Short mmCIF file of all heavy atoms in Angstrom, two decimals:
data_model
loop_
_atom_site.label_atom_id
_atom_site.label_comp_id
_atom_site.label_asym_id
_atom_site.label_seq_id
_atom_site.Cartn_x
_atom_site.Cartn_y
_atom_site.Cartn_z
N THR A 140 239.49 62.42 185.80
CA THR A 140 238.17 63.11 186.07
C THR A 140 238.64 64.27 187.00
O THR A 140 239.36 64.16 187.89
CB THR A 140 237.29 62.06 186.92
OG1 THR A 140 237.00 61.05 186.05
CG2 THR A 140 236.11 62.82 187.22
N ILE A 141 238.01 65.40 186.61
CA ILE A 141 238.12 66.63 187.38
C ILE A 141 237.07 66.77 188.33
O ILE A 141 235.86 66.82 187.93
CB ILE A 141 238.21 67.90 186.63
CG1 ILE A 141 239.50 67.85 185.58
CG2 ILE A 141 238.18 69.20 187.37
CD1 ILE A 141 239.52 68.88 184.59
N ILE A 142 237.25 66.83 189.66
CA ILE A 142 236.27 66.87 190.64
C ILE A 142 236.56 68.19 191.49
O ILE A 142 237.73 68.40 191.87
CB ILE A 142 236.30 65.65 191.69
CG1 ILE A 142 236.03 64.42 190.94
CG2 ILE A 142 235.25 65.86 192.78
CD1 ILE A 142 236.31 63.20 191.79
N VAL A 143 235.59 69.10 191.55
CA VAL A 143 235.69 70.35 192.38
C VAL A 143 234.63 70.39 193.48
O VAL A 143 233.50 70.25 193.15
CB VAL A 143 235.72 71.46 191.43
CG1 VAL A 143 235.93 72.87 192.36
CG2 VAL A 143 236.68 71.44 190.37
N ASP A 144 235.13 70.45 194.61
CA ASP A 144 234.15 70.76 195.71
C ASP A 144 234.62 71.99 196.47
O ASP A 144 235.51 72.62 196.19
CB ASP A 144 233.84 69.53 196.53
CG ASP A 144 235.07 69.19 197.42
OD1 ASP A 144 236.07 69.83 197.36
OD2 ASP A 144 234.99 68.20 198.21
N HIS A 145 233.76 72.43 197.59
CA HIS A 145 234.04 73.67 198.29
C HIS A 145 234.14 73.32 199.71
O HIS A 145 233.36 72.54 200.26
CB HIS A 145 233.03 74.76 197.95
CG HIS A 145 232.83 74.93 196.45
ND1 HIS A 145 233.75 75.75 195.85
CD2 HIS A 145 231.95 74.53 195.61
CE1 HIS A 145 233.33 75.84 194.57
NE2 HIS A 145 232.33 75.17 194.48
N ARG A 146 235.02 73.92 200.36
CA ARG A 146 235.07 73.80 201.81
C ARG A 146 235.39 75.30 202.52
O ARG A 146 235.77 76.11 201.79
CB ARG A 146 236.18 72.93 202.29
CG ARG A 146 237.47 73.35 201.78
CD ARG A 146 238.64 72.34 202.08
NE ARG A 146 239.76 72.66 201.50
CZ ARG A 146 241.01 72.11 201.80
NH1 ARG A 146 241.08 71.15 202.63
NH2 ARG A 146 242.06 72.61 201.15
N PRO A 147 234.77 75.41 203.68
CA PRO A 147 234.91 76.67 204.39
C PRO A 147 236.40 77.19 204.52
O PRO A 147 237.30 76.30 204.75
CB PRO A 147 234.28 76.44 205.78
CG PRO A 147 234.16 75.01 205.83
CD PRO A 147 234.19 74.36 204.57
N VAL A 148 236.61 78.46 204.40
CA VAL A 148 238.06 78.97 204.37
C VAL A 148 238.57 78.86 205.85
O VAL A 148 239.88 78.76 206.01
CB VAL A 148 238.10 80.33 203.94
CG1 VAL A 148 237.86 80.54 202.60
CG2 VAL A 148 237.30 81.38 204.72
N GLY A 149 237.71 78.85 206.83
CA GLY A 149 238.24 78.84 208.17
C GLY A 149 237.75 80.05 209.06
O GLY A 149 236.65 80.45 208.76
N ILE A 150 238.49 80.38 210.03
CA ILE A 150 237.94 81.43 210.87
C ILE A 150 237.92 82.86 210.23
O ILE A 150 239.07 83.12 209.62
CB ILE A 150 238.87 81.50 212.09
CG1 ILE A 150 238.78 80.13 212.96
CG2 ILE A 150 238.37 82.64 213.11
CD1 ILE A 150 239.68 80.10 214.21
N ALA A 151 236.91 83.48 210.20
CA ALA A 151 236.84 84.68 209.46
C ALA A 151 236.71 85.90 210.41
O ALA A 151 235.85 85.82 211.33
CB ALA A 151 235.55 84.69 208.46
N TYR A 152 237.51 86.90 210.19
CA TYR A 152 237.56 88.00 210.98
C TYR A 152 236.74 89.13 210.18
O TYR A 152 237.16 89.52 208.92
CB TYR A 152 238.99 88.51 211.21
CG TYR A 152 239.12 89.92 211.95
CD1 TYR A 152 238.35 90.04 213.24
CD2 TYR A 152 239.95 90.88 211.68
CE1 TYR A 152 238.39 91.15 213.85
CE2 TYR A 152 240.06 91.98 212.35
CZ TYR A 152 239.32 92.22 213.54
OH TYR A 152 239.44 93.36 214.28
N LEU A 153 235.61 89.65 210.76
CA LEU A 153 234.84 90.56 210.09
C LEU A 153 234.80 92.04 210.59
O LEU A 153 234.68 92.12 211.95
CB LEU A 153 233.32 90.04 210.22
CG LEU A 153 233.06 88.50 209.86
CD1 LEU A 153 231.75 88.14 210.11
CD2 LEU A 153 233.56 88.14 208.52
N VAL A 154 235.13 92.99 209.82
CA VAL A 154 235.19 94.43 210.46
C VAL A 154 234.23 95.28 209.73
O VAL A 154 234.12 95.31 208.57
CB VAL A 154 236.66 94.89 210.27
CG1 VAL A 154 236.74 96.35 210.83
CG2 VAL A 154 237.69 93.97 210.84
N THR A 155 233.34 95.91 210.44
CA THR A 155 232.29 96.66 209.86
C THR A 155 232.30 98.15 210.31
O THR A 155 232.74 98.51 211.36
CB THR A 155 230.92 96.06 210.25
OG1 THR A 155 230.92 95.86 211.64
CG2 THR A 155 230.77 94.65 209.69
N PRO A 156 231.73 98.96 209.40
CA PRO A 156 231.54 100.49 209.74
C PRO A 156 230.34 100.79 210.50
O PRO A 156 229.56 99.96 210.70
CB PRO A 156 231.64 101.05 208.29
CG PRO A 156 230.81 100.01 207.55
CD PRO A 156 231.10 98.72 208.05
N TRP A 157 230.31 102.18 210.76
CA TRP A 157 229.08 102.59 211.64
C TRP A 157 227.82 102.92 210.83
O TRP A 157 226.83 103.14 211.34
CB TRP A 157 229.43 103.80 212.43
CG TRP A 157 230.20 104.95 211.61
CD1 TRP A 157 231.53 105.04 211.66
CD2 TRP A 157 229.63 105.78 210.79
NE1 TRP A 157 231.80 106.13 210.75
CE2 TRP A 157 230.62 106.60 210.30
CE3 TRP A 157 228.28 106.16 210.43
CZ2 TRP A 157 230.37 107.70 209.30
CZ3 TRP A 157 228.08 107.24 209.49
CH2 TRP A 157 229.11 107.90 208.95
N ASN A 158 227.94 103.05 209.45
CA ASN A 158 226.86 103.61 208.75
C ASN A 158 225.73 102.76 208.51
O ASN A 158 224.48 103.21 208.35
CB ASN A 158 227.42 104.30 207.42
CG ASN A 158 227.90 103.35 206.41
OD1 ASN A 158 228.30 102.21 206.84
ND2 ASN A 158 227.81 103.67 205.18
N PHE A 159 225.99 101.47 208.43
CA PHE A 159 224.85 100.51 208.36
C PHE A 159 225.21 99.39 209.48
O PHE A 159 225.70 98.32 209.18
CB PHE A 159 224.75 99.78 207.07
CG PHE A 159 224.21 100.68 205.93
CD1 PHE A 159 224.99 101.32 205.06
CD2 PHE A 159 222.79 100.96 205.94
CE1 PHE A 159 224.35 102.22 204.09
CE2 PHE A 159 222.19 101.87 204.95
CZ PHE A 159 223.11 102.42 204.07
N PRO A 160 224.96 99.75 210.77
CA PRO A 160 225.50 98.83 211.77
C PRO A 160 224.90 97.36 211.76
O PRO A 160 225.60 96.42 212.09
CB PRO A 160 225.04 99.56 213.14
CG PRO A 160 224.41 100.79 212.80
CD PRO A 160 224.29 100.87 211.23
N ALA A 161 223.65 97.27 211.20
CA ALA A 161 223.13 95.90 211.14
C ALA A 161 223.56 95.26 209.75
O ALA A 161 223.94 94.12 209.73
CB ALA A 161 221.64 95.97 211.34
N ALA A 162 223.25 95.97 208.74
CA ALA A 162 223.36 95.28 207.46
C ALA A 162 224.77 94.90 207.03
O ALA A 162 225.03 93.81 206.38
CB ALA A 162 222.80 96.25 206.36
N MET A 163 225.69 95.84 207.37
CA MET A 163 227.14 95.46 207.07
C MET A 163 227.57 94.21 207.93
O MET A 163 228.35 93.43 207.45
CB MET A 163 228.04 96.59 207.26
CG MET A 163 227.84 97.89 206.48
SD MET A 163 227.79 97.47 204.72
CE MET A 163 226.01 97.24 204.37
N ALA A 164 226.94 94.01 208.95
CA ALA A 164 227.39 92.84 209.80
C ALA A 164 226.68 91.62 209.24
O ALA A 164 227.40 90.59 209.16
CB ALA A 164 226.87 93.07 211.36
N THR A 165 225.36 91.52 208.91
CA THR A 165 224.75 90.40 208.51
C THR A 165 225.17 90.06 207.09
O THR A 165 225.23 88.88 206.76
CB THR A 165 223.22 90.61 208.54
OG1 THR A 165 222.83 91.67 207.68
CG2 THR A 165 222.68 90.77 209.88
N ARG A 166 225.70 91.11 206.35
CA ARG A 166 226.07 90.80 204.97
C ARG A 166 227.30 89.99 204.94
O ARG A 166 227.76 89.33 204.03
CB ARG A 166 226.31 92.26 204.27
CG ARG A 166 226.39 92.08 202.64
CD ARG A 166 226.24 93.51 202.11
NE ARG A 166 227.50 94.17 202.24
CZ ARG A 166 227.63 95.27 201.60
NH1 ARG A 166 226.62 95.99 200.92
NH2 ARG A 166 228.83 96.03 201.75
N LYS A 167 228.12 90.05 206.17
CA LYS A 167 229.28 89.10 206.29
C LYS A 167 228.92 87.83 207.08
O LYS A 167 229.37 86.85 206.75
CB LYS A 167 230.31 89.97 206.99
CG LYS A 167 230.77 91.18 206.28
CD LYS A 167 231.90 91.89 206.88
CE LYS A 167 232.34 93.13 206.32
NZ LYS A 167 232.55 93.13 204.82
N LEU A 168 228.18 88.07 208.23
CA LEU A 168 228.00 86.97 209.11
C LEU A 168 227.16 85.86 208.43
O LEU A 168 227.45 84.64 208.48
CB LEU A 168 227.09 87.36 210.23
CG LEU A 168 227.96 88.21 211.45
CD1 LEU A 168 226.89 88.83 212.29
CD2 LEU A 168 228.82 87.31 212.17
N ALA A 169 226.18 86.24 207.60
CA ALA A 169 225.24 85.31 207.04
C ALA A 169 226.00 84.24 205.94
O ALA A 169 226.07 83.09 206.14
CB ALA A 169 224.12 85.94 206.36
N PRO A 170 226.79 84.92 205.09
CA PRO A 170 227.51 84.02 204.11
C PRO A 170 228.60 83.26 204.77
O PRO A 170 228.82 82.09 204.34
CB PRO A 170 228.09 84.92 203.09
CG PRO A 170 228.15 86.27 203.73
CD PRO A 170 227.01 86.37 204.69
#
Side-chain angles (χ1 to χ4, degrees):
T140 300
I141 293 171
I142 301 169
V143 181
D144 67 1
H145 301 283
R146 56 182 175 170
V148 293
I150 300 175
Y152 179 46
L153 316 176
V154 181
T155 52
W157 49 261
N158 67 334
F159 288 101
M163 297 303 96
T165 59
R166 200 166 75 173
K167 297 183 188 307
L168 287 164

